[in-house]
Structures are given as C-alpha cells and as structure tokens.
Amino acid sequence: MKTLLVTGGAGFIGSNFILYMLNRYNDYKIVNLDKLTYAGNLENLKSVEDHPHYSFFQGDICDRELVEGLFSHYEIDYVINFAAESHVDRSILNPEIFAGTNILGTMTLLNAARNSWEGGMGFKEGKKFIQVSTDEVYGSLGSEGLFTEATPLDPHSPYSASKAAADLFVKSYFDTYKMPVNITRCSNNYGPYQFPEKLIPLMIHNALNKRRLPVYGDGLNIRDWLYVEDHCSAIDAVMHKGKPGEVYNIGGNNERPNIDIVKTILCHLSANVDKAIDESLIQYVEDRKGHDRRYGMDATKIRKELGWVPETRFEDGIRKTIDWYLDNKEWLRHVTSGEYQEYYSKMYGTKKTEAD
Ligand code: NAD
Ligand code: TYD
C-alpha cells in the first residue's frame, strides 16, 4: 500500500484526481490536505468520504507544523501538489495571497518532504514530489507555434508569476538535493466540479440564470482545452513513469477562441434547456489586464516518453460538462452563495461594456 498526500484535493482538479485514483487503484491510500478556501468543497468528495483508503485534513499547506505532522504520522510516498490560488482575475485583484499559498506553501511541502525522505544515502526509494503547474508560466503565444518544455518562462499575471516561482523552487530541489520531483504543466481544464469563476462554468451558470455572458476584449483569445479526466490520467502516468527532474507538458490538442466556447455552450443550452438562452446574452466587456492572447501546448514529450494522449473529444467533453452542471444545480447554488456574490459584483459590476 502506498500513500499519496494530495493537497488541494477539495478543489476542481484535485477532487477529480482523488475520485479517479480511488476508482482505478485499490493499493493507494489518499491523504487530502485542503484549507477549504472559497474554491474547496467537500461535497465533491461525498461519494468517498467513508472510503477506507481516504482521509481528509483541513489545513493550510503553509502551516509547517501541520505538514510535518502529516509526514510523521503517515509514511507518505508521493506528494501531488494541487493546492493553489488558481484564478487569474483574483490574482489581479489581490496578488499577495498568491505568493503565500503558491510559493511559500510549495516551499513548506518541499521542505517537509525532503526532511522525511532524505537519509544518509540520499533519498529513500519510491518517493516522488509532483508539482501541478500550468502552461501560463510560459507567457503568451502569437498566432504560430506551441509551448514546449524548453520554452523560457515568461509569466505575465501575478497568478502565473507565483506558479513559475514555485516551479523554480521545485526544480532547485532536484538540482541541489537530487530530490525526486516532476513538474507537470497543463493547459486549461474543464469538466465537473469546476468553480464558476472560470470561463466554462461561469458561462453555463450565467446562461442558466439568463444573466449576461461577459466576454473579455474581442473574444478571440485562445486556450487549449483539456478534459479534467485526461489531466488525471496524465498525472497518473507521470507519477508512475515520469523520470525524476523532468517537466512534462500536458495539453488537449484542442485550441479554441473564447467566443466559440461561449457559442457552443449557448447552442447546447438553447437546444436542450430553453430556446430563450441565445446569443443576445453575450456582452463584450473591457479586456482583462495583461490578457495572454494564446496558449497552445506541445505535448509530444509525454506522448512519446510516457505513452499518454488525451482521449476525450471536445464535443463529448463539453456535452458531459454541461450535462453535469444541469444535473448538479444544487452544487452550483451552494458554491455561488456567500463569497461568490461579493466577488462577482466586484469583478463584473464595474466592467465597462461596448455600450459605455
Ligand atoms: P481550484 O481553485 O479549484 O482548487 C484549489 C484547491 O486548493 C481548493 O480546494 C482550495 O481550498 C485549496 N487551497 C487553496 N489554498 C490552500 C492552502 N493554502 N492550503 C491548502 N489548500 C489550499 O484549482 P484547480 O483548478 O483545481 O487547480 C489545481 C491546480 O492545477 C492548481 O495548482 C492550478 O494552478 C493548476 N492548474 C489548473 C488549471 C485549470 O484549468 N484549472 C490549469 C493548469 C494548472
Ligand atoms: P479562465 O477560465 O479564467 O482561465 P485562464 O485565464 O487561466 O486561461 O479564462 C479563460 C479565457 O476566458 C481567458 O482568455 C479569459 C476569458 N474569460 C472571459 O472572456 N470572460 C470571463 O468572464 C472569464 C472568467 C474568462
């Protein structure tokens, strides 16, 4: 039996990953450490809360005592660090917290893992630290080319700057101490349990409530969309087969302009829910500050070296995602009550539109 410390396991990707692992393997014990910020939600893990191989601890990855306590209580074999402040718009409103969680939190985990795993003869066998990072550390692409693992880091938002800083610390623990680490950099995820501050669930939620759909700038910024389950299988491959010290890009091979995503969602909802959900809801609003134009991943390395490819076609993934939100309106209602209202009005209440 191996033990995984999954941080941020109550968030979007972390909870999908825990469900994926418990479903797929019966020889992994999962310890989930999550602070339960606005983005963390234990409802996501209701189906496994009594699973004999699952335990949850509420706490902060920056809390050294707590993190060291987990390492002394459990024989942890893998750390999969999902915990982060993850939203670019929030990082523009309030950058400091991104440095705290994303950089210092990662440092705290690295130190605790090193203290527990390093012996006189180097690191114990079978240990690994996986840092879940993002394509956003590479900056922005023009109309040509893709990000490879060799693309220089050039983050633009406080969010991506904090993720890049964390990546460099993780790399330094390999370079300096030979700590077994991998860094995964993935493109934009979508799927069940994503908090409705991100493009796809925000548009679904607004459309269902006949609220305007705020498209930033000209709507032609491009993201490379990856279905969350494919991201989970990629991390599974890196955990088991990734070579220590290596970075792996994970992409959906699925670039789309934002406006196409919004129209696809509208098309599905107007056909299946209500004809009145149509393109008249779209409202172009002032652009995000420092808005990266295009992300596109070259995932050749993980395909060639670890045999991983994304399996979900976008048409299937987006349909499954929309259906999940339609079937889980209560979840949406919970996560959008409270803090979300305040965030939403601060974020969108003052945004200029074309009419202004
Ligand atoms: P999320 O915002 O949905 O979840 C983050 C989780 O981390 C939440 O459960 C939150 O409670 C927890 N958390 C935050 N601060 C914490 C702290 N100090 N201590 C412990 N827990 C804390 O994020 P997500 O979309 O699931 O992203 C997970 C990881 O993947 C992040 O590291 C993010 O940078 C990375 N990533 C996400 C995407 C994407 O499209 N969502 C793309 C690339 C990379
Ligand atoms: P987002 O989901 O925030 O992911 P990221 O910025 O990390 O890529 O945004 C995806 C794209 O959608 C990005 O180009 C910004 C745009 N966007 C909007 O046009 N309107 C919105 O309300 C949001 C949240 C995002």
Side-chain angles (χ1 to χ4, degrees), residues 8 10-14 34-37 39-40 59-61 82-84 86 101 132-134 159 163 186-189 194 198:
F12 162 48
I13 306 173
D34 196 297
K35 188 177 175 183
L36 299 183
T37 66
D60 193 326
I61 56 166
F82 292 101
S86 69
T101 289
V132 179
S133 185
T134 166
Y159 162 68
K163 294 294 288 185
C186 71
S187 58
N188 288 63
N189 284 221
Q194 188 168 31
K198 306 278 173 27

Side-chain angles (χ1 to χ4, degrees), residues 1 27 95 99 121 125 214 301:
M1 198 84 181
D27 53 350
M121 305 288 287
E125 277 295 302
K301 178 173 169 179

Side-chain angles (χ1 to χ4, degrees), residues 55-329:
S55 335
F56 172 70
F57 291 87
Q58 181 170 5
D60 193 326
I61 56 166
C62 302
D63 181 340
R64 201 175 93 184
E65 222 173 290
L66 169 70
V67 172
E68 284 177 352
L70 290 176
F71 274 90
S72 26
H73 186 76
Y74 293 96
E75 178 67 44
I76 290 169
D77 299 293
Y78 295 92
V79 175
I80 323 277
N81 184 25
F82 292 101
E85 287 293 332
S86 69
H87 190 39
V88 173
D89 289 323
R90 288 187 191 249
S91 82
I92 296 168
L93 291 172
N94 179 20
E96 285 90 344
I97 190 176
F98 285 71
T101 289
N102 299 3
I103 307 174
L104 297 177
T106 301
M107 282 289 294
T108 307
L109 293 168
L110 283 168
N111 287 334
R114 182 182 161 223
N115 288 339
S116 157
W117 293 348
E118 199 179 30
M121 305 288 287
F123 280 83
K124 294 180 196 155
E125 277 295 302
K127 307 290 184 188
K128 194 182 267 185
F129 188 105
I130 297 181
Q131 175 68 2
V132 179
S133 185
T134 166
D135 55 2
E136 304 193 23
V137 299
Y138 296 124
S140 181
L141 291 164
S143 52
E144 299 286 305
L146 295 171
F147 297 130
T148 72
E149 290 82 357
T151 302
L153 302 191
D154 180 25
H156 296 144
S157 69
Y159 162 68
S160 53
S162 68
K163 294 294 288 185
D167 283 14
L168 292 177
F169 275 112
V170 174
K171 176 184 177 311
S172 78
Y173 275 55
F174 175 76
D175 294 341
T176 308
Y177 309 113
K178 297 283 165 282
M179 177 155 151
V181 306
N182 284 126
I183 297 170
T184 59
R185 297 192 177 130
C186 71
S187 58
N188 288 63
N189 284 221
Y190 68 104
Y193 303 112
Q194 188 168 31
F195 193 78
E197 63 189 353
K198 306 278 173 27
L199 179 74
I200 289 179
L202 184 138
M203 295 298 167
I204 296 171
H205 178 242
N206 280 17
L208 289 175
N209 291 291
K210 312 254 172 51
R211 242 175 165 176
R212 72 192 176 113
L213 309 181
V215 174
Y216 300 165
D218 61 6
L220 297 178
N221 296 65
I222 291 175
R223 299 293 182 260
D224 173 0
W225 293 95
L226 172 69
Y227 192 60
V228 65
E229 211 173 286
D230 285 328
H231 185 194
C232 295
S233 68
I235 294 175
D236 182 0
V238 172
M239 245 183 80
H240 290 102
K241 299 186 268 181
K243 197 172 144 225
E246 294 293 311
V247 176
Y248 295 95
N249 280 358
I250 304 167
N253 195 18
N254 177 43
E255 289 185 39
R256 317 241 161 186
N258 294 337
I259 191 65
D260 287 12
I261 300 279
V262 175
K263 288 183 178 170
T264 304
I265 293 169
L266 285 172
C267 200
H268 187 93
L269 291 177
S270 78
N272 297 297
V273 178
D274 181 349
K275 272 206 181 63
I277 300 178
D278 64 22
E279 291 185 14
S280 66
L281 290 173
I282 294 175
Q283 190 162 48
Y284 287 93
V285 298
E286 73 181 294
D287 211 351
R288 174 187 278 172
K289 290 186 176 71
H291 196 176
D292 287 339
R293 190 62 172 170
R294 178 178 159 246
Y295 301 145
M297 280 303 225
D298 181 340
T300 307
K301 178 173 169 179
I302 190 171
R303 174 168 56 78
K304 284 207 169 140
E305 293 184 13
L306 310 186
W308 175 87
V309 283
E311 282 176 358
T312 310
R313 288 171 53 238
F314 183 71
E315 292 64 29
D316 298 331
I318 193 74
R319 191 178 31 74
K320 280 200 268 183
T321 303
I322 297 170
D323 288 347
W324 185 87
Y325 283 95
L326 290 174
D327 292 342
N328 289 277
K329 291 209 179 96

